[in-house]
Amino acid sequence: MNDNKTAKLLANLTFNLVTGIQEMHTRLANKLGLTEAELRCLISLGNDKGLNNTKVADRMHRTASRVTRIIEGLEEKGYLTKGYNRKDRRSLSLTLSRKGGLAIHNLEKQYLDIHSEILREIKSSQRKPLIHTMENLNAVAEKKFRRTKFSTAH
């Protein structure tokens, strides 16, 4: 297979994978009464305690001002609480509420279940090479996608 055909196949495979993941995130967000951005933020927070909005913005690859609005929505819905540093009121500390912690726990379980089901469909001898290849793809794609400015003009 030549490089152009391989690139096209890779593009189609990754598009299908991303689309499937986005559809799953949409269903999970709807189930929790969240927007997709709020779900991504909740997942980015994970079980880490005391993160600030700048750190979450870095994890989400969004601006701090955009993440601040998302965080406000999560706080209003009872998924997290904000605390402030006594010495510096500008320093925000985010912590999952009980509701947020339960949501993360359930999301992690669902993710594990889904990926366990996927692995059951893949021969055990193919799993380690698959993980290695996906790690390489992820590392290269992370670097490339962060640098690339996409154009809609042809």
Side-chain angles (χ1 to χ4, degrees), residues 45-60:
L45 279 165
N47 289 313
D48 293 342
K49 293 181 179 169
L51 289 179
N52 62 33
N53 60 334
T54 304
K55 181 63 102 174
V56 175
D58 288 345
R59 288 183 179 186
M60 292 181 66

Side-chain angles (χ1 to χ4, degrees), residues 113-148:
D113 291 347
I114 289 165
H115 289 86
S116 293
E117 288 175 27
I118 290 169
L119 283 175
R120 282 193 287 277
E121 300 289 326
I122 297 171
K123 292 179 185 176
S124 60
S125 63
Q126 295 175 327
R127 293 175 187 171
K128 190 172 183 178
L130 171 67
I131 297 298
H132 179 72
T133 301
M134 287 190 74
E135 287 172 340
N136 287 339
L137 177 62
N138 189 53
V140 171
E142 177 72 21
K143 284 189 274 184
K144 183 65 179 166
F145 294 154
R146 296 288 170 240
R147 289 192 323 238
T148 303

Side-chain angles (χ1 to χ4, degrees), residues 36-106:
E36 289 178 54
E38 289 169 339
L39 178 69
R40 285 188 61 227
C41 185
L42 194 63
I43 291 168
S44 293
L45 279 165
N47 289 313
D48 293 342
K49 293 181 179 169
L51 289 179
N52 62 33
N53 60 334
T54 304
K55 181 63 102 174
V56 175
D58 288 345
R59 288 183 179 186
M60 292 181 66
H61 305 289
R62 297 286 180 259
T63 64
S65 62
R66 173 69 181 119
V67 169
T68 297
R69 288 191 297 276
I70 296 168
I71 287 168
E72 287 169 357
L74 286 169
E75 184 181 30
E76 287 172 15
K77 293 175 183 177
Y79 284 93
L80 61 83
T81 58
K82 292 190 289 190
Y84 295 92
N85 184 323
R86 290 180 194 157
K87 295 178 183 175
D88 183 0
R89 295 279 302 156
R90 296 169 299 171
S91 181
L92 183 65
S93 175
L94 304 170
T95 305
L96 292 177
S97 65
R98 185 174 184 327
K99 181 178 180 179
L102 287 172
I104 286 294
H105 174 77
N106 290 332

Side-chain angles (χ1 to χ4, degrees), residues 16-32 36 39 43 107 109-115 117-118:
N16 291 337
L17 183 62
V18 168
T19 300
I21 292 167
Q22 286 174 332
E23 289 171 358
M24 178 184 66
H25 281 178
T26 298
R27 286 191 306 272
L28 290 171
N30 289 339
K31 186 176 177 181
L32 293 170
E36 289 178 54
L39 178 69
I43 291 168
L107 286 169
K109 183 182 180 329
Q110 288 178 43
Y111 269 48
L112 185 61
D113 291 347
I114 289 165
H115 289 86
E117 288 175 27
I118 290 169

